[in-house]
């Protein structure tokens, strides 16, 4: 049965993540994901200009167990609230555009961390799998 909560969280991006669980090379799912907008939490220390400038995105970097840096992004507000309930600001960013400018260091990207089917990609994986022309 469809509920208001399901309608909010069952986005095309979320469906693509679920499809990638069964087939990591599902081109249609990767294209859907790359073409989707994701919610990028605005770091608490970002100023108003950084939070609203359309030419730049301040990335929230969290430390994973083991110390590796990771940027969390989300497919919906409920998915974000599940892991980061106190986030006050976020930006909608096309995932493919974010991936096209992803740094070359060891910064990974996790989509819907805390969900049943999160997707974590290395820096190289972000650029090669999600960056679309």
């Amino acid at each position: 049965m469809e509920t208001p909560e399901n309608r909010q969280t069952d986005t095309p991006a979320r469906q693509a993540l679920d499809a990638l669980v069964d087939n990591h090379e599902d081109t249609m799912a990767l294209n859907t994901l790359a073409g989707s907008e994701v919610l990028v939490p605005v770091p608490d220390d970002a100023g108003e200009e950084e939070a609203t400038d359309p030419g730049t995105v301040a990335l929230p970097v969290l430390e994973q167990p083991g110390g590796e840096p990771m940027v969390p992004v989300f497919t919906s507000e409920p998915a974000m609230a599940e892991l980061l309930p106190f986030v006050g600001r976020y930006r909608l960013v096309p995932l493919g555009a974010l991936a096209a400018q992803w740094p070359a260091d060891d910064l990974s990207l996790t989509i819907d961390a805390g969900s049943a089917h999160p997707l974590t990609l290395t820096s190289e994986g972000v650029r090669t799998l999600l960056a679309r022309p």
Side-chain angles (χ1 to χ4, degrees):
M1 179 155 115
E2 187 174 18
T3 65
E5 184 177 298
N6 288 347
R7 283 194 301 272
Q8 289 180 339
T9 59
D10 196 22
T11 63
R14 180 72 253 161
Q15 292 170 359
L17 287 175
D18 292 341
L20 288 168
V21 169
D22 295 326
N23 179 2
H24 294 294
E25 297 178 13
D26 184 330
T27 305
M28 183 182 286
L30 288 169
N31 286 338
T32 298
L33 202 53
S36 297
E37 287 188 328
V38 291
L39 286 66
V40 179
V42 174
D44 290 337
D45 61 349
E48 191 59 34
E49 187 174 323
E50 282 182 302
T52 58
D53 181 356
T56 63
V57 176
L59 297 176
V61 179
L62 302 179
E63 191 173 295
Q64 299 182 78
E68 297 87 22
M70 173 268 287
V71 173
V73 298
F74 302 91
T75 58
S76 67
E77 286 181 355
M80 183 172 62
E82 196 172 306
L83 184 70
L84 303 172
F86 302 108
V87 168
R89 302 181 294 174
Y90 65 85
R91 295 188 56 185
L92 278 173
V93 178
L95 188 54
L98 186 64
Q101 298 179 18
W102 199 255
D105 58 12
D106 291 333
L107 188 63
S108 65
L109 173 78
T110 298
I111 305 168
D112 283 356
S115 72
H117 300 132
L119 176 64
T120 299
L121 297 169
T122 64
S123 183
E124 181 181 338
V126 171
R127 290 188 312 276
T128 58
L129 295 176
L130 298 177
R132 299 289 190 246

